[in-house]
Amino acid sequence: MKELKSVEERILDKTLYLIGKQGSVHVPVRTIVKEADVNIGAINYYFGTKENMLRQVKKFYMENLISTVVPLDDESLEDEEKLKRYAAMSMEYSMRFPGAIALVKDAFETKDHDEMSQKIVEETMLMEEKLNKVMKRYLKDVEDEFSIRKTIFLSSIIYPTLEFNELNGTAFLSEEKQRMYYIEKVVKLISQGV
């Protein structure tokens, strides 16, 4: 994942965080400024407009999203390991940037009139194809249950990161060792059937 090295990237990071917190891309600039601990002039200086900032947030999101799919393409790994690494990277990404789901939802809604949204949709569909390919090989001949098992897998990765705190009982996943143990159990579970 791309590390934050500048004020501009901190603004993008905090904007993506706030999108997730509010569940919408319509985050007030003043809220972003406060969260990023910058003055309003920084938004104008780095982005010019809020619309341009949102385009940059989408670009920032895509750059990091692509890194989560790398394990699915790694032919040196067995399919089970690919799924574990994909799950680990996806969970880490979702915990760091909870706005990802709201951003993808917005991209599907605005793809017809926004180039970056179209790119997010295309990249999401490509990611989906890669995941399907690996999961189908891993699960072997379970075509009739594939959708169910995939839904269990994705829900097990996404849900714990939505409200990553004590309220949903998933705070234990903040520790990498516990998260990896959890992911291993999830991957084994989907191979055993429902």
Side-chain angles (χ1 to χ4, degrees):
M1 266 183 263
K2 190 173 180 181
E3 291 302 316
L4 303 175
K5 297 180 182 163
S6 71
V7 172
E8 181 181 12
E9 288 178 329
R10 187 170 74 234
I11 294 169
L12 296 175
D13 171 53
K14 295 303 181 182
T15 302
L16 192 51
Y17 167 77
L18 290 167
I19 288 170
K21 188 175 179 181
Q22 295 188 11
S24 168
V25 297
H26 306 292
V27 178
V29 172
R30 294 210 182 276
T31 305
I32 295 166
V33 165
K34 183 177 179 184
E35 185 71 28
D37 195 26
V38 296
N39 64 42
I40 200 150
I43 303 292
N44 294 330
Y45 177 78
Y46 288 107
F47 306 105
T49 66
K50 183 179 178 185
E51 291 75 27
N52 188 46
M53 183 182 65
L54 187 55
R55 271 192 296 282
Q56 292 301 317
V57 166
K58 290 176 180 181
K59 183 179 177 188
F60 180 74
Y61 162 77
M62 281 217 357
E63 289 171 359
N64 286 294
L65 174 69
I66 290 169
S67 70
T68 66
V69 233
V70 169
L72 296 176
D73 291 327
D74 188 343
E75 293 306 319
S76 70
L77 301 174
E78 297 291 326
D79 289 333
E80 181 176 337
E81 188 62 27
K82 288 180 183 185
L83 292 174
K84 288 177 187 176
R85 290 187 187 189
Y86 166 75
M89 292 182 84
S90 295
M91 286 184 84
E92 180 184 335
Y93 184 82
S94 293
M95 288 184 291
R96 184 171 175 195
F97 301 113
I101 291 173
L103 206 55
V104 170
K105 181 181 178 214
D106 178 75
F108 274 89
E109 292 170 356
T110 61
K111 69 180 187 268
D112 295 332
H113 56 274
D114 180 61
E115 184 179 339
M116 280 308 298
S117 290
Q118 180 62 39
K119 288 180 181 179
I120 289 173
V121 169
E122 289 169 3
E123 206 54 51
T124 301
M125 300 307 283
L126 181 61
M127 183 178 74
E128 184 85 8
E129 288 174 27
K130 291 178 181 187
L131 179 61
N132 285 345
K133 182 179 170 185
V134 172
M135 284 194 77
K136 284 181 179 183
R137 279 194 319 251
Y138 175 67
L139 297 175
K140 298 182 179 60
D141 298 317
V142 293
E143 194 63 40
D144 57 326
E145 290 185 352
F146 178 77
S147 294
I148 294 169
R149 293 182 192 203
K150 180 180 170 191
T151 301
I152 291 169
F153 176 73
L154 291 174
S155 299
S156 298
I157 293 168
I158 296 167
Y159 173 74
T161 65
L162 291 178
E163 292 295 328
F164 193 73
N165 57 39
E166 293 292 333
L167 294 178
N168 66 11
T170 59
F172 73 96
L173 295 175
S174 64
E175 294 182 31
E176 185 178 3
K177 185 176 178 182
Q178 291 289 357
R179 195 167 53 249
M180 292 310 297
Y181 178 76
Y182 169 80
I183 288 168
E184 187 173 310
K185 294 296 182 187
V186 168
V187 171
K188 291 287 185 196
L189 175 73
I190 63 166
S191 73
Q192 295 170 359
V194 281

